[in-house]
Amino acid sequence: MTATTGAPARADHVGSLLRPAAVVAARKAFYEDHAIPREELTAVEDAAIIDVVQMQESVGLKVVTDGEIRRSFWHYDFMGGLTGFDMEERDPEEGAQFHGVKLRPIFPVINGKLDFPADHPMLDHFRFLAAHTNVTPKISIPGPSCCHFRTAKADIHVPEYADLEVLFADLSATYAKAVAAFYDAGCRYLQMDDIFFAYLCDPKHRAQKAAEGVDPDWLITAYARMMHEAIKDRPADMLIGMHMCRGNFRSTWAAEGAYDLAADAIFNQTGVDLFFMEYDSERAGGLEPLRLLAKGKQRVYPGFITTKTPQLEPIDGLKRQIEEAAKYVDIDQLGIAPQCGFASTEEGNAITPDEQRAKLELVVETARAIWGEA
């Protein structure tokens, strides 16, 4: 841990990694062909996770994840494990629209009162990760806002949840139980992917919410309050990270717009410790919103390194970008990470495993060049 922030490292990454071919084949054999037992799939996933942990450690990362190897989606697998949530598959034409491609048509549906079950499978996912690393294990889960933003109003079948204040209160309580459960499982670094703060800075998505009768600016504040209530009682030795981006599916994107409209809520109303912010394209806007980060122990990891394409960013250029960010926030409150994961869904981005490794090596090399440590 660094003395200034308590953050485990200057170099970090968002979490998801490309699925190895053996995992892709085993998942198809289990889920589609029904040709192998669950135990065989789990054994393949276990071996792959041990490999990706060793890969992360070998490039010099001091924080590792399981690569979300056991998941199909970055968000729906967690949500589907919550009490009250179900996942429904529908017409392919209904899939969420990304830039030039649609997401698989899986939709969350709220059929009952929300809660976090004591046997949520991702608790065991974390325990397995922690048992197979010599550095800090981190697990990423979707933030509470995802459970609202990604669930259509028509798919909320609990009458009292028509009142968003009631729904958001239950989501906060559900996530507070999740935070406590992960802590009890040994987790000291929990990341929540709360990407919809960035979506709500996009004129198109703002208009969609307004058309649904919800003020997007009220929603930003409500999402911040929901996160704050979910994490406020965490133990003092537990770090909470938050990732924000504008969509990541097979190297495409779903939103654009600078952070300005949400920056104050993000930095000063959530209570989050570490922020992973997409900054690999003009779609993210300028660095000026970083000025709203309070002096202290919070840290921002600007995502200047893209996971969408294989080209490596020059270190000199990355150093200049960090220097630019340091005009708005103390450089001691900065780190470096890629802009998003490498495989937000099991399809993965248009990048190879060797190119993925090179990107992670670049993260570590850049941190060492700027701060003298990774």
Side-chain angles (χ1 to χ4, degrees), residues 279-292:
Y279 265 119
D280 67 325
S281 75
E282 293 181 355
R283 291 191 304 276
L287 295 164
E288 293 83 1
L290 299 183
R291 74 187 187 281
L292 296 175

Side-chain angles (χ1 to χ4, degrees), residues 84 129 174 200 214 217 260 269 277 329:
L129 170 66
T174 296
L200 288 169
V214 182
D217 292 321
D260 299 74
Q269 299 174 35
M277 302 180 72
V329 58

Side-chain angles (χ1 to χ4, degrees), residues 46-56:
D46 287 352
I49 289 167
I50 291 170
D51 284 346
V52 299
V53 167
Q54 291 174 346
M55 181 274 289
Q56 292 168 82

